[in-house]
Amino acid sequence: MDVARLAREWLAEDPDAETRAELTALLDDQVALHERFAGHLDFGTAGLRGELGAGPMRMNRVVVRRAAAGLASYLSGCGDDRPVVIGYDARRNSDVFALDTARVVTGAGRRALVLPRPLPTPVLAFAVRHLGCAAGVMVTASHNPRRDSGYKVYLGDGAQIAPPVDRTIAAAIDAVGPLGDVPLGGDGEGVDVVDAYLAAVAALPLGGARELRVAYTPLHGVGWPVLRAAFERAGFAVPHVVAAQAAPDPDFPTVEFPNPEEPGACDLLLGLADDVRADVAIANDPDADRCAVAVGGRLLSGDELGALLADHLLRNGIRGRVATTIVSSSLLGKMAAAYGVPYTETLTGFKWIVRAGDDLVFGYEEAIGYAVAPHVVRDKDGIGAALLVADLAASLRAQGRTLLDRLAEIWRQFGRHATSQWSVRVADLADIDRVMGLLRDTPPTSFGGRAVEHAVDLRDGGAGLAPADGLVYRLAGDARVVVRPSGTEPKLKAYLEVVVPPETEEQLVTEALTAIRADLARVAGLP
């Protein structure tokens, strides 16, 4: 492959001075050119996501314009002439990519509606249906490292694209000719839906308790103004915010990774919560579609908060389908059976969760994502989830109790479902294929002293699920292990669960999960 020739061809059509300068400086570096030109970012069910930089293996204006042209071509082929609404976060170049998208969309003869400032992803997801659009584009890398950017696509139903639409759009992108032949139009029309979104979120079925002290961080992202307005509109006091993380900052200076789940990311939040004696501490990720919660200095897991929110809705008379994913705790299914409501288990990702059924009233995934009002936002919504957390915490506070007290009640009824996630970041994606191949070629018979009673290779589909790269092991004693590649980062992920009596000592729970992880690492040849 003549990567130098490909780089020179790229330079001839790159509209960005910064990436042209970057690439010009690398023309004699074969290793660097190969990293950028040996392939291209895959357009999948998460859209596009990757590191900023020149070349088809990076996120840049050439890649974005081609993606926008492919999306416009796909929509035209569907005969859908409605507008496309475009949003963006506060990461580097997000506004530039949004403007490029608008110009390509208008150049294709279609209206482009552009949100007026950096806003949370759930606001864009809400806007798609609220404005009656054919599609929505959100320029965001969510919780990825600071050097990343992303391009998330929603269809007119307000949900993220799912197979086979992703492959059809990818083919349309591949069919885009020279970038100079892609017509560019105007900058699009400004449109503001924040007030409508806030009205819809504040209309959630909340109780009457409002006495609550909240500590909050948006982790240098875009969540704070919208969350503050949502709390005020719903009648809650304005949360105490981590000042050092309140304003958007694409450099994320106070955290190594801008993900509330990463160790240390919520340290400033926990410190603030202690200082102000907060009843609950809440964190959004940078695009505010995820929500993390801590009580008494302890961060709840995504599964624990998922159970609490589902229980809160069901206790208050909300009826309909609840859903989660194969990598989340099995607890929600047992709760659904006890309440007599439909339950669905899906593949990982909200593109699947929100398609669980038209009767869906709640969905969550263990990676701190919650759809608390699918009729408002057909995706995870960190603002709506935070508001529901406040409602639950305030109602419990009025009774002299906390989220942890309610969680203990759930455990007493269903058993403690202890979960743990193990992620291994890799430099070479081939390492993930190697590990998955090893597990398939040499099937494990036990983990942590628990026999494998049933194994499912998700590549084969089944149980109503689309084929996916993953392995599910059901172990003796109602335990479970799921192994899969990450869909958004160069990571191999494993999800572990054991079910124990609620009074089980914490050390014994940790030992059980650690033993399972140690066996998985040994079998997979990982450190």
Side-chain angles (χ1 to χ4, degrees):
M1 177 182 291
D2 189 351
V3 290
R5 176 183 59 81
L6 295 174
R8 288 190 294 271
E9 292 174 355
W10 184 279
L11 280 171
E13 63 176 14
D14 190 347
D16 191 270
E18 183 176 342
T19 47
R20 286 200 308 271
E22 172 198 340
L23 189 54
T24 300
L26 296 174
L27 287 177
D28 293 327
D29 187 337
Q30 288 293 307
V31 173
L33 291 182
H34 191 270
E35 290 176 351
R36 288 160 173 78
F37 288 91
H40 59 79
L41 292 179
D42 290 327
F43 186 92
T45 49
L48 293 165
R49 197 172 292 185
E51 185 178 347
L52 289 166
M57 291 292 289
R58 299 287 188 269
M59 283 295 296
N60 50 67
R61 295 179 67 188
V62 174
V63 166
V64 164
R65 286 189 181 183
R66 288 185 175 279
L71 175 60
S73 174
Y74 166 78
L75 294 174
S76 295
C78 294
D80 193 336
D81 60 0
R82 293 178 297 165
V84 172
V85 61
I86 302 160
Y88 56 98
D89 65 10
R91 284 179 180 255
R92 205 170 305 282
N93 276 1
S94 287
D95 55 344
V96 176
F97 295 163
L99 183 58
D100 275 336
T101 299
R103 288 172 174 168
V104 171
V105 168
T106 55
R110 184 183 300 270
R111 292 174 65 204
L113 309 178
V114 184
L115 298 187
R117 58 190 176 278
L119 286 166
T121 292
V123 175
L124 181 280
F126 166 80
V128 176
R129 287 192 296 173
H130 179 71
L131 298 173
C133 293
V137 171
M138 183 67 192
V139 182
T140 179
S142 190
H143 59 289
N144 272 39
R146 59 178 61 89
R147 281 291 301 168
D148 285 6
S149 184
Y151 198 84
K152 184 180 291 188
V153 177
Y154 296 80
L155 291 183
D157 63 358
Q160 294 180 55
I161 56 172
V165 171
D166 57 334
R167 294 190 292 273
T168 306
I169 296 176
I173 294 171
D174 291 342
V176 174
L179 201 61
D181 294 342
V182 174
L184 300 178
D187 296 348
E189 310 163 36
V191 61
D192 196 340
V193 300
V194 173
D195 192 66
Y197 167 79
L198 289 171
V201 171
L204 293 174
L206 305 177
R210 289 293 180 271
E211 188 69 27
L212 191 70
R213 186 179 293 112
V214 177
Y216 172 74
T217 179
L219 282 184
H220 300 292
V222 297
W224 174 227
V226 180
L227 180 132
R228 179 179 59 208
F231 270 59
E232 289 178 321
R233 185 168 297 211
F236 290 100
V238 174
H240 298 267
V241 66
V242 176
Q245 297 174 334
D249 189 333
D251 292 327
F252 303 105
T254 67
V255 293
E256 186 66 25
F257 294 102
N259 181 350
E261 294 181 288
E262 291 284 345
C266 287
D267 284 356
L268 293 180
L269 172 66
L270 297 177
L272 175 65
D274 187 56
D275 290 342
V276 303
R277 301 178 66 184
D279 300 297
V280 65
I282 298 174
N284 286 139
D285 66 339
D287 69 326
D289 65 349
R290 287 173 167 83
C291 179
V293 170
V295 183
R298 168 160 121 60
L299 280 166
L300 300 176
S301 72
D303 285 315
E304 290 173 337
L305 185 55
L308 283 166
L309 293 179
D311 175 75
H312 185 48
L313 291 171
L314 293 169
R315 278 176 179 257
N316 284 279
I318 302 299
R319 290 294 180 268
R321 185 174 305 276
V322 296
T324 190
T325 73
I326 57 169
V327 303
S328 302
S329 172
S330 60
L331 174 57
L332 183 61
K334 297 168 186 174
M335 294 172 63
Y339 278 99
V341 299
Y343 168 75
T344 299
E345 198 169 280
T346 75
L347 291 176
T348 306
F350 271 82
K351 58 185 173 289
W352 301 113
I353 291 174
V354 299
R355 292 184 170 92
D358 293 338
D359 56 345
L360 183 71
V361 294
F362 174 77
Y364 93 94
E365 62 181 0
E366 57 77 40
I368 59 173
Y370 311 92
V372 298
H375 64 285
V376 175
V377 176
R378 292 195 75 203
D379 198 3
K380 53 189 174 291
D381 180 356
I383 304 296
L387 202 57
L388 195 63
V389 167
D391 181 55
L392 171 57
S395 67
L396 290 169
R397 187 184 191 276
Q399 303 166 26
R401 297 191 297 157
T402 70
L403 296 178
L404 296 180
D405 295 324
R406 176 58 56 81
L407 185 62
E409 290 179 358
I410 295 172
W411 286 350
R412 284 195 291 272
Q413 183 176 359
F414 299 102
R416 180 178 176 182
H417 289 61
T419 58
S420 176
Q421 185 191 131
W422 179 44
S423 297
V424 180
R425 188 176 292 272
V426 299
D428 187 347
L429 292 176
D431 289 340
I432 293 178
D433 294 334
R434 177 188 62 79
V435 171
M436 296 300 292
L438 182 61
L439 291 172
R440 288 184 170 107
D441 293 341
T442 310
T445 58
S446 67
F447 291 102
R450 299 168 183 259
V452 175
E453 295 183 338
H454 186 59
V456 177
D457 190 336
L458 296 177
R459 291 188 310 183
D460 302 329
L465 302 178
D469 189 4
L471 295 162
V472 180
Y473 303 97
R474 300 190 184 278
L475 314 181
D478 207 13
R480 186 169 64 167
V481 175
V482 183
V483 185
R484 73 173 186 94
S486 169
T488 58
E489 298 178 86
K491 287 181 176 180
L492 183 73
K493 292 188 172 184
Y495 307 83
L496 320 177
E497 179 177 38
V498 296
V499 182
V500 297
E503 66 276 7
T504 303
E505 293 182 8
E506 193 66 33
Q507 180 181 345
L508 296 178
V509 175
T510 300
E511 287 175 355
L513 291 168
T514 300
I516 292 174
R517 189 179 77 173
D519 272 0
L520 176 60
R522 176 183 53 79
V523 172
L526 293 170

